[in-house]
Amino acid sequence: MEDEEKYRRAVDLLKEAGRIHDVSQVEREVMTKLYDLENRKSPAVVIYGFLFGWTEIMWVRRSLILASFVLILMFVYQQSVIVRQLNTLSSHIVFDNLRPSSAIQTERLTRLRLIKSSAGRMDEDLLTDEQIQQMIKSYDKLRTEYESLLKIIEADPELKRIFNERLSDMNHEKVKM
Amino acid sequence: MIDQKLIEQCRQGNIESFRKVIEASSPFAYSVAFKMLGDEDLARDVVQETMITIWKKIGHIRTAQGYKTWLYRIVVNKCYDEFRKARRRPEVLAAESTWVRLSATISENGADEFTDSEISVIISKLTERLSPRQKAVFVLSELEEMTNEEIAGITGMSKTSIKANLYHARKSFKEMLSKYL
C-alpha cells in the first residue's frame, strides 16, 4: 500500500473516531459541576452568613421591621415637637446685658421686663399694640421719675436716713424692675 | 443546531435551554477534543469545562452564527491547556502488538474503524511530533474538514500560517505511518 493511500485510509478512519456515546451523561455531569460552582461559598459569603444569618428567621425579620417603623415614627414625632418648641422660643425676645442703643431696643427691653414682671401672666393677645405702647410709655415715665427721686434721696443725707427708717418700719419688699 | 432564540434564553439564565445547547454542542466538542488529546477521560473533562465556560460567558455571543466558531475556540484552548499539563505526565509507550493491529486495520482488508486504544496510540505519536498549533490545524482541517477561514477564526492564525502548519502536520503524519506501519 502506498504512503498516500495509507495516509488517506488513516485519516478516513480517524474522522470516524471520537463519537460521543452518551450525551445525556455529559449533560448530567455538566449540570452537577455547574450546581457545585454556583453553591460554592466564598469566605465573604460565609462570614456574612455567620454575622447576619439570624435575619433569615422570618419572625425575627418581621419584628425588626416593625421595630424600625416604630423608631422612625418616634423620631418624626420627636422632631416635630422640637420644631414646635423652637418656633415658640423664637417668638420670645432673647437678650443679654447689652445696653440699649436705640429706641427700638429700649422698647424691646421694656416689653421683656413687663413680661417678666407679670410672671408670664400677661397675654399679649388681650392687649392691642396701642395699649402696650401706652403702657411702655407710662412705665418709662414712671421709671425716669423713680430714678430722679432716688437721686434726690441720695443727694440729701438727712432725707436718706428718714427714707430708710420708713422702709424698715414698713418691712418693705424690693421691687425689681 | 443552535439558534438565536436559544442563545437569548440561555443569556437570561434559562437552564432548560442550556441543556439543549449541551445536547447540540457536546458531540462536536467531544470529537475535536478526543482527536486532539487521544484520551476519552480527558476529552470528557474538556467538554465539561467548555460547557461551563459557555454558560458563564454566553453573554459574549450576540448571534448564532458566531457560536460554532466560539465553541471550537474554547475547545481548542482547553486542549492546549491539557497539552501543557501533559508535558509533566509520563509518556505511555505503545506495545508492539498495538502497532501490528494498527497496521492490519489500515490495510485494505482491515476493519472499518480504529479501536480506542489504536486512536490513542496514533494521537500520542502525533503529540510527540507536532506542536499544539500544528495538531489543532491538522485535526480541524483534515479530520473535521473545516475551511482555512473557519480555522483562522478559531485559532487566530493567519491563512499562511495555517497552510504552513498543515503542510508540516501532514508530512509528520505520513512519516509516522511509514515508520510504524
Side-chain angles (χ1 to χ4, degrees), chain A residues 76-100:
Chain A
V76 168
Y77 173 72
Q78 205 173 40
Q79 291 300 305
S80 65
V81 165
I82 289 169
V83 165
R84 223 179 305 131
Q85 294 278 22
L86 281 170
N87 287 336
T88 312
L89 275 173
S90 68
S91 67
H92 292 288
I93 300 156
V94 178
F95 77 107
D96 55 16
N97 288 325
L98 287 172
R99 293 175 68 82

Side-chain angles (χ1 to χ4, degrees), chain A residues 24 36 64 76 103 144 171 176:
Chain A
S24 57
D36 288 343
L64 286 173
V76 168
T144 312
N171 200 18
K176 287 199 177 166

Side-chain angles (χ1 to χ4, degrees), chain A residues 4 6-7 9 13 29, chain B residues 48 111-112 142 145 174 181:
Chain A
E4 191 57 35
K6 265 192 209 174
Y7 175 78
R9 175 91 176 125
L13 288 169
E29 285 165 2
Chain B
Q48 286 172 21
D112 288 334
E142 293 288 275
E145 294 176 308
K174 285 174 187 174
L181 303 173

Side-chain angles (χ1 to χ4, degrees), chain A residues 46-132:
Chain A
V46 172
I47 290 167
Y48 178 85
F50 178 76
L51 290 173
F52 301 109
W54 53 274
T55 60
E56 299 297 319
I57 303 168
M58 195 45 72
W59 71 265
V60 171
R61 190 188 275 185
R62 283 184 182 156
S63 309
L64 286 173
I65 292 169
L66 188 65
S68 63
F69 268 123
V70 169
L71 280 169
I72 288 166
L73 286 172
M74 279 174 60
F75 175 76
V76 168
Y77 173 72
Q78 205 173 40
Q79 291 300 305
S80 65
V81 165
I82 289 169
V83 165
R84 223 179 305 131
Q85 294 278 22
L86 281 170
N87 287 336
T88 312
L89 275 173
S90 68
S91 67
H92 292 288
I93 300 156
V94 178
F95 77 107
D96 55 16
N97 288 325
L98 287 172
R99 293 175 68 82
S101 59
S102 68
I104 295 165
Q105 282 190 319
T106 310
E107 190 185 310
R108 280 190 186 159
L109 195 66
T110 311
R111 274 183 186 248
L112 180 65
R113 284 177 175 170
L114 280 170
I115 290 164
K116 280 181 77 175
S117 65
S118 69
R121 288 193 293 275
M122 189 175 93
D123 189 344
E124 289 193 45
D125 289 342
L126 296 179
L127 298 170
T128 63
D129 259 354
E130 266 177 29
Q131 285 170 326
I132 291 171

Side-chain angles (χ1 to χ4, degrees), chain B residues 86-154:
Chain B
R87 274 190 218 130
R88 296 180 223 124
R89 283 197 286 264
E91 190 192 334
V92 175
L93 298 170
E96 184 63 35
S97 56
T98 307
W99 293 117
V100 170
R101 260 202 325 276
L102 206 52
S103 184
T105 305
I106 286 178
S107 71
E108 282 176 81
N109 297 323
D112 288 334
E113 58 183 30
F114 287 132
T115 62
D116 287 348
S117 62
E118 287 164 351
I119 292 167
S120 291
V121 165
I122 296 171
I123 292 170
S124 70
K125 281 297 161 192
L126 277 180
T127 309
E128 284 172 22
R129 299 170 69 97
L130 299 180
S131 70
R133 287 158 68 95
Q134 286 170 346
K135 188 180 247 191
V137 169
F138 180 80
V139 168
L140 293 172
S141 179
E142 293 288 275
L143 306 183
E144 295 294 316
E145 294 176 308
M146 288 188 186
T147 63
N148 285 354
E149 260 181 28
E150 286 172 328
I151 296 170
I154 292 166

